[in-house]
Amino acid sequence: MDLPRTVSIIGTGSYVPEKVLTNHDLEKIVETTDEWIHSRTGMRERHIAAPGQASSDLGTEAAKAALADAGIEAGELDLLIVATLSPDMFFPSTACFVQEKIGAKNAYCYDLGAACSGFLFALDAAKNQIASGAVKTALVIGTEKMSTFIDWEDRGTCILFGDGAGAAVLQAGGEGRGIMKSVMGSDGSLADLLWTPGGGSRNPISHEMIDQRQQYLKMRGREVFKHAVVRMTEAVVQALEKNDVGVDEIKCFIPHQANIRIIDAIAKRLGIADRIYTNVEKYANTSSAALAIALDEAVKDGTIQKGDLVALTVFGGGFTWGANVLEWNR
Ligand code: UT7
């Protein structure tokens, strides 16, 4: 049997829409304060898509930036995966809309649903497709227009989310270890702690469902917080073990950007506070886009350099969670 191939990230990109919504702006929408939001979450502002902009539009901008960074044409892509919980439509997939916009004519395309964990799950799926030899080049996108699916009357959730997209181009080859093995998990018994209960086949669109505001994201924040800390910490420990990497070898640690207090709690448990990358202050929680945007920014601002080991971890609705380690090789 052939040895698995090295799979590398050869380009990254990200995009956030122009409009910025600050905590002070939110004070005019719900009963809240900048002080409460910043002290509880670390967030100062978030970006909000224009009414005509859908998730595929945000994803397309991130995709174009990632392809330019990689120096390849869209026609070279064999596979395109979009991770999103805010698709343009139930079907066809948002990935097919992005394919059309960027001209990725030779790619097969699908969406992946793992809520905020989606980008890491998609990265793992694409990596394994490449490592198996089935495809050579893949584009993975995390894109969200969360502003459509949050309840702007619920101060417990509407302050937490933002819109944006991030993307990475993956290809067979490269020096060193590239994208290593993931650890991923799910627990469907806790689905009702973080979900959008209305609008699907369980609770279809009806006047009654809409009157009850069931089409919007619902979250039991305190419970989600505890699970997020435990699962992401465990996942990182397991991913380091699985890849035979010591915590001290990690140069940069990028967690899901949901709340600075969650990030701080994980950093403390793992003893890595000095190596944490965070941008939650600028973008709030962009769900499946958060990890992808942070990775792109950490590469572009020089935090991540060639040869560095990077740990990624995510947590989201489902529940779903995971971690991975990369050797940055470009
Ligand atoms: O991406 C998927 C993962 N998502 C997450 O990881 C989010 C996890 N959860 C959290 O980040 C936090 O739980 C929150 C930021 C959502 C809330 O922070 P908390 O410290 O857990 O606050 P809490 O829910 O316990 O609420 C404390 C108080 C409540 O008032 P009472 O009941 O103590 O009187 C809330 O009504 O704060 C009140 N509150 C607010 N006050 C001002 C809730 N939201 C707001 C608000 N402004 N926006």
Side-chain angles (χ1 to χ4, degrees):
M1 201 174 97
D2 289 337
L3 285 174
R5 302 195 282 181
T6 298
V7 180
S8 302
I9 294 178
I10 62 162
T12 59
S14 59
Y15 172 79
V16 288
E18 216 172 290
K19 183 181 169 188
V20 174
L21 188 73
T22 66
N23 292 348
H24 291 296
D25 295 330
L26 283 166
E27 289 173 353
K28 294 175 202 132
I29 299 174
V30 287
E31 202 182 324
T32 191
T33 60
D34 170 55
E35 199 283 320
W36 192 95
I37 300 172
H38 190 256
S39 62
R40 299 287 178 129
T41 69
M43 298 164 187
R44 286 281 187 212
E45 56 190 40
R46 66 286 295 137
H47 290 245
I48 302 293
Q53 246 179 338
S55 288
S56 71
D57 300 319
L58 310 183
T60 294
E61 297 306 318
K64 285 179 181 168
L67 289 168
D69 189 39
I72 69 160
E73 299 294 328
E76 294 174 59
L77 296 171
D78 307 307
L79 167 64
L80 194 171
I81 309 177
V82 168
T84 187
L85 62 74
S86 50
D88 289 24
M89 302 175 189
F90 271 159
F91 82 93
S93 69
T94 299
C96 285
F97 290 122
V98 174
Q99 173 195 31
E100 167 61 13
K101 288 188 228 283
I102 64 174
K105 290 191 171 60
N106 302 313
Y108 71 95
C109 309
Y110 64 91
D111 286 1
L112 185 150
C116 297
S117 303
F119 184 75
L120 192 133
F121 278 43
L123 195 74
D124 184 73
K127 181 236 162 166
N128 288 328
Q129 283 293 82
I130 296 170
S132 73
V135 301
K136 185 176 169 234
T137 307
L139 175 63
V140 174
I141 302 170
T143 185
E144 303 286 6
K145 188 181 180 187
M146 296 301 290
S147 56
T148 309
F149 294 95
I150 52 178
D151 185 347
W152 290 99
E153 293 182 9
D154 175 13
R155 68 175 183 173
T157 53
C158 76
I159 56 133
L160 295 171
F161 296 95
D163 300 336
V169 181
L170 279 59
Q171 199 165 62
E175 294 165 25
R177 287 167 283 183
I179 304 170
M180 298 187 214
K181 291 176 198 148
S182 295
V183 167
M184 294 182 294
S186 307
D187 183 354
S189 73
L190 300 169
D192 63 346
L193 296 182
L194 176 53
W195 67 2
T196 299
S201 55
R202 171 70 55 206
N203 187 5
I205 297 169
S206 67
H207 289 294
E208 194 190 355
M209 184 280 281
I210 288 172
D211 289 344
Q212 294 168 353
R213 308 185 77 75
Q214 299 289 303
Q215 72 275 30
Y216 296 125
L217 180 150
K218 316 277 174 206
M219 177 168 71
R220 301 237 296 271
R222 218 175 294 181
E223 285 97 324
V224 175
F225 188 111
K226 288 182 210 149
H227 286 280
V229 172
V230 171
R231 290 302 189 184
M232 283 195 275
T233 307
E234 277 174 7
V236 170
V237 170
Q238 289 165 4
L240 292 174
E241 247 172 52
K242 195 168 181 177
N243 291 298
D244 198 20
V245 171
V247 71
D248 294 341
E249 294 176 70
I250 299 294
K251 172 75 189 313
C252 178
F253 174 90
I254 310 181
H256 176 47
Q257 307 286 315
N259 185 321
I260 198 68
R261 288 160 50 222
I262 294 177
I263 295 172
D264 288 345
I266 299 167
K268 202 169 155 201
R269 286 168 186 226
L270 294 170
I272 51 167
D274 55 329
R275 288 167 283 156
I276 286 271
Y277 195 86
T278 172
N279 59 17
V280 71
E281 190 171 24
K282 294 190 288 183
Y283 306 127
N285 182 351
T286 56
S287 183
S288 71
L291 182 65
I293 296 172
L295 177 64
D296 180 49
E297 289 196 344
V299 170
K300 303 279 162 67
D301 72 16
T303 303
I304 298 174
Q305 301 278 340
K306 189 171 182 184
D308 286 347
L309 291 181
V310 181
L312 312 174
T313 185
V314 288
F315 180 85
F319 286 152
T320 52
W321 60 87
N324 198 324
V325 183
L326 317 171
E327 181 174 338
W328 198 254
N329 54 5
R330 63 187 293 261

